[in-house]
Amino acid sequence: METVLSGIRATGRLHFGNFLGAVQNFVKFQQPGNTCLYFIADWHTLTTLDDPEELRGNLVEIVKDYIAAGLDPEQSIIYAQSSVPEISELCLYLSMIQPLGELERVPTFKDLVRKNPDNVNLGLVTYPVLMAADILGPKATLVPVGEDQVPNVEMARNIAGKFNKRFGNTFVVPEMMAQMIKVPGLDGAKMGKSEADNAIDINAPIEAIRERYLKKGITDRERLRVTDPGDPYNRCQSVYPVHELVTDGEIETREIANLCISAQIGCAACKHRLVDGIAKILEPFQERRARLANQNEYVKDVLHEGGKKARTRIKETTEQVRDRVGIVIY
Ligand code: TRP
Ligand code: SF4
């Protein structure tokens, strides 16, 4: 019996790393007894994006990807953060108990300041407080996130604890779940994170994905000839680690490693096997996704209904919080 919550910013389209590392995990939580809330953090997106058309487009496309990947609007609450204005009100209350100094030391903040020294807006500073409002509003018990988000979730836990201590038990202190898998991109760095063009587009034709792996996938740099033994575990950058995530069963994965170590398979052949594995996962997804391509009205309905459901939960918390801090709506 968990209340699972996770959000994603709408800065771009989903890639295969998000798909394997996050979305497939979200799907697994959809079980009787669990309440799942998956939302698009469109306000958080505004901290670094200033193209309104892109934001609007990304949001709808991500929801299509979510649904095609198996998130079921009947089972999960799928919504846009901005559909729940109470989240920003909660953020305001929480900001009153959050020291500024801690926010300036958050790694994701320092990272963003380094990347955009000319755009250190207040939204970036309060980013984790808004995130805390996202999490605490629906009283999430479990928050699956990538490793980079761990300090933010930790801060939400702290804020909840602090508020409860000062104003009486109000918030649930959620469990963190940082076991989401890291998927390397073509250059071996985390997919989507490196400045290089290292991501695999989940909506690209399989043959285009194959091309990209064959041309750009970094393998074992010390393996110069097919007859050189490779080191799949330590030196293969972009292929073997993905085999471990997508290839059916441990036996086949181990077989690939052994073929590599004993120089019985070339990297090109190994990449072909990988892409065949990726195709098995992506083909059914792409079929469902294609059917959603023109369903913007349906997606809007999903977001509208999801927004209503999320809002009901979050409103309840907001009313409690107002009461605790002494705000009366006249
Ligand atoms: N900051 C998260 C990211 O960039 C997105 C996010 C916003 C989020 N609010 C959240 C994640 C609440 C989990 C819970 O990936
Ligand atoms: Fe990597 Fe496969 Fe090449 Fe070995 S054979 S280095 S596992 S791509």
Side-chain angles (χ1 to χ4, degrees):
M1 291 286 267
E2 302 280 1
T3 301
V4 184
L5 174 139
S6 198
I8 186 168
R9 297 205 306 148
T11 47
R13 303 289 157 93
L14 290 192
H15 52 65
F16 192 54
N18 303 128
F19 184 89
L20 274 188
V23 187
Q24 281 204 328
N25 210 12
F26 297 168
V27 175
K28 286 193 203 130
F29 288 114
Q30 291 185 142
Q31 281 170 24
N34 284 352
T35 303
C36 297
L37 298 106
Y38 300 122
F39 69 97
I40 318 295
D42 47 356
W43 283 331
H44 279 115
T45 310
L46 292 176
T47 57
T48 56
L49 196 83
D50 56 11
D51 183 337
E53 274 318 306
E54 205 185 319
L55 172 54
R56 272 192 280 266
N58 288 345
L59 198 155
V60 170
E61 298 307 311
I62 291 172
V63 173
K64 289 178 191 168
D65 287 338
Y66 269 9
I67 297 171
L71 292 186
D72 173 2
E74 300 294 319
Q75 290 186 69
S76 289
I77 305 177
I78 301 172
Y79 59 107
Q81 184 182 37
S82 59
S83 300
V84 188
E86 286 77 11
I87 295 173
S88 75
E89 184 181 348
L90 269 181
C91 175
L92 180 115
Y93 300 134
L94 299 178
S95 73
M96 306 301 171
I97 59 165
Q98 175 56 49
L100 175 62
E102 274 176 29
L103 293 171
E104 288 169 335
R105 287 192 293 274
V106 170
T108 39
F109 174 70
K110 290 202 285 191
D111 212 40
L112 284 165
V113 172
R114 192 177 49 75
K115 282 190 201 141
N116 307 285
D118 320 320
N119 181 24
V120 185
N121 56 62
L122 194 51
L124 281 181
V125 184
T126 55
Y127 190 106
V129 186
L130 181 56
M131 223 172 123
D134 294 330
I135 295 169
L136 304 179
K139 303 202 167 163
T141 58
L142 205 64
V143 185
V145 288
E147 217 175 322
D148 59 324
Q149 296 298 314
V150 167
N152 288 339
V153 179
E154 197 51 56
M155 190 162 283
R157 286 162 48 88
N158 280 336
I159 294 177
K162 219 190 293 183
F163 189 97
N164 287 348
K165 209 166 148 213
R166 188 141 143 212
F167 296 103
N169 215 1
T170 311
F171 292 124
V172 172
V173 182
E175 291 303 315
M176 174 116 52
M177 248 206 119
Q179 43 70 283
M180 292 217 296
I181 347 165
K182 229 189 273 174
V183 184
L186 293 166
D187 58 354
K190 186 179 168 190
M191 193 178 288
K193 277 283 157 161
S194 88
E195 261 68 89
D197 163 36
N198 79 346
I200 295 297
D201 173 1
I202 49 177
N203 289 304
I206 301 301
E207 288 320 302
I209 295 175
R210 195 180 296 280
E211 275 285 304
R212 263 170 83 69
Y213 268 104
L214 288 170
K215 278 207 183 119
K216 293 194 65 174
I218 307 286
T219 61
D220 176 348
R221 284 199 176 83
E222 291 174 39
R223 193 174 183 213
L224 304 176
R225 282 169 227 92
V226 186
T227 49
D228 294 340
D231 181 348
Y233 301 116
N234 304 303
R235 291 201 306 255
C236 182
Q237 299 292 310
S238 73
V239 179
Y240 186 72
V242 184
H243 266 301
E244 286 205 321
L245 301 172
V246 306
T247 303
D248 279 341
E250 218 175 294
I251 296 174
E252 195 179 342
T253 318
R254 180 140 325 151
E255 182 204 323
I256 288 163
N258 288 336
L259 288 172
C260 170
I261 293 165
S262 58
Q264 291 181 74
I265 189 172
C267 290
C270 186
K271 287 173 170 180
H272 276 289
R273 278 180 78 158
L274 176 68
V275 176
D276 293 343
I278 292 176
K280 264 202 227 163
I281 298 173
L282 283 188
E283 271 165 358
F285 161 80
Q286 291 186 349
E287 258 168 52
R288 289 190 295 268
R289 183 64 174 77
R291 285 199 291 272
L292 286 166
N294 300 320
Q295 305 275 328
N296 285 14
E297 286 308 311
Y298 167 67
V299 171
K300 279 181 199 158
D301 277 352
V302 166
L303 288 169
H304 184 71
E305 291 306 314
K308 276 204 289 200
K309 286 184 209 157
R311 197 167 179 196
T312 304
R313 293 180 72 98
I314 297 166
K315 249 184 174 162
E316 209 174 292
T317 313
T318 309
E319 278 161 18
Q320 282 173 325
V321 171
R322 276 186 207 137
D323 183 57
R324 295 279 150 94
V325 300
I327 293 295
V328 180
I329 307 281
Y330 290 102

PDB file of all heavy atoms in Angstrom, residues 219-220 223 232 236 239-240 260 265-267 270, ligand 2:
ATOM      1  N   THR A 219      32.568   1.387 -27.680  1.00  0.00           N
ATOM      2  CA  THR A 219      32.674   0.074 -27.032  1.00  0.00           C
ATOM      3  C   THR A 219      33.939   0.064 -26.161  1.00  0.00           C
ATOM      4  O   THR A 219      34.133   0.966 -25.369  1.00  0.00           O
ATOM      5  CB  THR A 219      32.650  -1.048 -28.076  1.00  0.00           C
ATOM      6  OG1 THR A 219      33.756  -0.893 -28.958  1.00  0.00           O
ATOM      7  CG2 THR A 219      31.351  -0.997 -28.888  1.00  0.00           C
ATOM      8  N   ASP A 220      34.739  -0.979 -26.289  1.00  0.00           N
ATOM      9  CA  ASP A 220      35.982  -1.071 -25.527  1.00  0.00           C
ATOM     10  C   ASP A 220      37.079  -0.421 -26.369  1.00  0.00           C
ATOM     11  O   ASP A 220      37.477  -0.967 -27.396  1.00  0.00           O
ATOM     12  CB  ASP A 220      36.267  -2.554 -25.248  1.00  0.00           C
ATOM     13  CG  ASP A 220      37.590  -2.777 -24.540  1.00  0.00           C
ATOM     14  OD1 ASP A 220      38.401  -1.819 -24.460  1.00  0.00           O
ATOM     15  OD2 ASP A 220      37.811  -3.904 -24.069  1.00  0.00           O
ATOM     16  N   ARG A 223      40.063  -2.347 -27.520  1.00  0.00           N
ATOM     17  CA  ARG A 223      39.870  -3.507 -28.391  1.00  0.00           C
ATOM     18  C   ARG A 223      39.967  -3.030 -29.840  1.00  0.00           C
ATOM     19  O   ARG A 223      39.015  -2.492 -30.395  1.00  0.00           O
ATOM     20  CB  ARG A 223      38.489  -4.104 -28.115  1.00  0.00           C
ATOM     21  CG  ARG A 223      38.326  -5.448 -28.724  1.00  0.00           C
ATOM     22  CD  ARG A 223      37.019  -6.111 -28.334  1.00  0.00           C
ATOM     23  NE  ARG A 223      37.017  -7.435 -28.931  1.00  0.00           N
ATOM     24  CZ  ARG A 223      35.947  -8.052 -29.368  1.00  0.00           C
ATOM     25  NH1 ARG A 223      34.762  -7.500 -29.238  1.00  0.00           N
ATOM     26  NH2 ARG A 223      36.048  -9.252 -29.922  1.00  0.00           N
ATOM     27  N   PRO A 232      34.006  -6.535 -21.326  1.00  0.00           N
ATOM     28  CA  PRO A 232      32.637  -6.002 -21.325  1.00  0.00           C
ATOM     29  C   PRO A 232      32.289  -5.311 -20.014  1.00  0.00           C
ATOM     30  O   PRO A 232      31.550  -4.319 -20.011  1.00  0.00           O
ATOM     31  CB  PRO A 232      31.764  -7.251 -21.524  1.00  0.00           C
ATOM     32  CG  PRO A 232      32.612  -8.400 -21.103  1.00  0.00           C
ATOM     33  CD  PRO A 232      34.032  -8.005 -21.388  1.00  0.00           C
ATOM     34  N   CYS A 236      33.726  -1.667 -21.812  1.00  0.00           N
ATOM     35  CA  CYS A 236      32.729  -1.428 -22.855  1.00  0.00           C
ATOM     36  C   CYS A 236      31.796  -0.309 -22.375  1.00  0.00           C
ATOM     37  O   CYS A 236      31.104  -0.445 -21.374  1.00  0.00           O
ATOM     38  CB  CYS A 236      31.932  -2.693 -23.154  1.00  0.00           C
ATOM     39  SG  CYS A 236      30.740  -2.420 -24.484  1.00  0.00           S
ATOM     40  N   VAL A 239      27.622  -0.433 -24.915  1.00  0.00           N
ATOM     41  CA  VAL A 239      26.887  -1.583 -25.433  1.00  0.00           C
ATOM     42  C   VAL A 239      26.621  -2.633 -24.351  1.00  0.00           C
ATOM     43  O   VAL A 239      25.468  -2.948 -24.054  1.00  0.00           O
ATOM     44  CB  VAL A 239      27.613  -2.200 -26.662  1.00  0.00           C
ATOM     45  CG1 VAL A 239      26.851  -3.424 -27.174  1.00  0.00           C
ATOM     46  CG2 VAL A 239      27.744  -1.155 -27.765  1.00  0.00           C
ATOM     47  N   TYR A 240      27.674  -3.137 -23.734  1.00  0.00           N
ATOM     48  CA  TYR A 240      27.442  -4.199 -22.755  1.00  0.00           C
ATOM     49  C   TYR A 240      26.547  -3.764 -21.587  1.00  0.00           C
ATOM     50  O   TYR A 240      25.628  -4.499 -21.203  1.00  0.00           O
ATOM     51  CB  TYR A 240      28.758  -4.824 -22.250  1.00  0.00           C
ATOM     52  CG  TYR A 240      28.435  -5.999 -21.380  1.00  0.00           C
ATOM     53  CD1 TYR A 240      27.954  -7.181 -21.937  1.00  0.00           C
ATOM     54  CD2 TYR A 240      28.507  -5.889 -19.989  1.00  0.00           C
ATOM     55  CE1 TYR A 240      27.551  -8.241 -21.139  1.00  0.00           C
ATOM     56  CE2 TYR A 240      28.106  -6.945 -19.189  1.00  0.00           C
ATOM     57  CZ  TYR A 240      27.638  -8.111 -19.774  1.00  0.00           C
ATOM     58  OH  TYR A 240      27.233  -9.151 -18.981  1.00  0.00           O
ATOM     59  N   CYS A 260      32.694 -11.935 -25.860  1.00  0.00           N
ATOM     60  CA  CYS A 260      33.526 -10.733 -25.956  1.00  0.00           C
ATOM     61  C   CYS A 260      34.902 -10.999 -25.351  1.00  0.00           C
ATOM     62  O   CYS A 260      35.934 -10.741 -25.974  1.00  0.00           O
ATOM     63  CB  CYS A 260      32.817  -9.583 -25.238  1.00  0.00           C
ATOM     64  SG  CYS A 260      33.807  -8.104 -25.017  1.00  0.00           S
ATOM     65  N   ILE A 265      33.216 -12.650 -30.681  1.00  0.00           N
ATOM     66  CA  ILE A 265      32.194 -11.812 -31.316  1.00  0.00           C
ATOM     67  C   ILE A 265      32.808 -10.438 -31.550  1.00  0.00           C
ATOM     68  O   ILE A 265      33.573  -9.931 -30.719  1.00  0.00           O
ATOM     69  CB  ILE A 265      30.905 -11.729 -30.451  1.00  0.00           C
ATOM     70  CG1 ILE A 265      29.758 -11.040 -31.223  1.00  0.00           C
ATOM     71  CG2 ILE A 265      31.165 -10.998 -29.130  1.00  0.00           C
ATOM     72  CD1 ILE A 265      28.411 -11.107 -30.498  1.00  0.00           C
ATOM     73  N   GLY A 266      32.487  -9.859 -32.709  1.00  0.00           N
ATOM     74  CA  GLY A 266      32.962  -8.509 -32.985  1.00  0.00           C
ATOM     75  C   GLY A 266      31.986  -7.497 -32.414  1.00  0.00           C
ATOM     76  O   GLY A 266      30.827  -7.829 -32.148  1.00  0.00           O
ATOM     77  N   CYS A 267      32.445  -6.271 -32.251  1.00  0.00           N
ATOM     78  CA  CYS A 267      31.568  -5.257 -31.656  1.00  0.00           C
ATOM     79  C   CYS A 267      30.357  -4.969 -32.540  1.00  0.00           C
ATOM     80  O   CYS A 267      29.269  -4.707 -32.028  1.00  0.00           O
ATOM     81  CB  CYS A 267      32.345  -3.980 -31.359  1.00  0.00           C
ATOM     82  SG  CYS A 267      33.513  -4.213 -30.001  1.00  0.00           S
ATOM     83  N   CYS A 270      27.870  -7.636 -31.972  1.00  0.00           N
ATOM     84  CA  CYS A 270      27.361  -7.479 -30.617  1.00  0.00           C
ATOM     85  C   CYS A 270      26.331  -6.349 -30.562  1.00  0.00           C
ATOM     86  O   CYS A 270      25.297  -6.459 -29.895  1.00  0.00           O
ATOM     87  CB  CYS A 270      28.546  -7.194 -29.705  1.00  0.00           C
ATOM     88  SG  CYS A 270      28.129  -7.140 -27.973  1.00  0.00           S
TER      89      CYS A 270
HETATM   90 FE1  SF4 B   2      31.302  -4.255 -25.928  1.00  0.00          FE
HETATM   91 FE2  SF4 B   2      30.197  -6.222 -27.270  1.00  0.00          FE
HETATM   92 FE3  SF4 B   2      32.370  -5.021 -28.212  1.00  0.00          FE
HETATM   93 FE4  SF4 B   2      32.523  -6.577 -26.114  1.00  0.00          FE
HETATM   94  S1  SF4 B   2      31.958  -7.214 -28.154  1.00  0.00           S
HETATM   95  S2  SF4 B   2      33.440  -4.556 -26.311  1.00  0.00           S
HETATM   96  S3  SF4 B   2      30.578  -6.198 -25.102  1.00  0.00           S
HETATM   97  S4  SF4 B   2      30.390  -4.127 -27.964  1.00  0.00           S
END
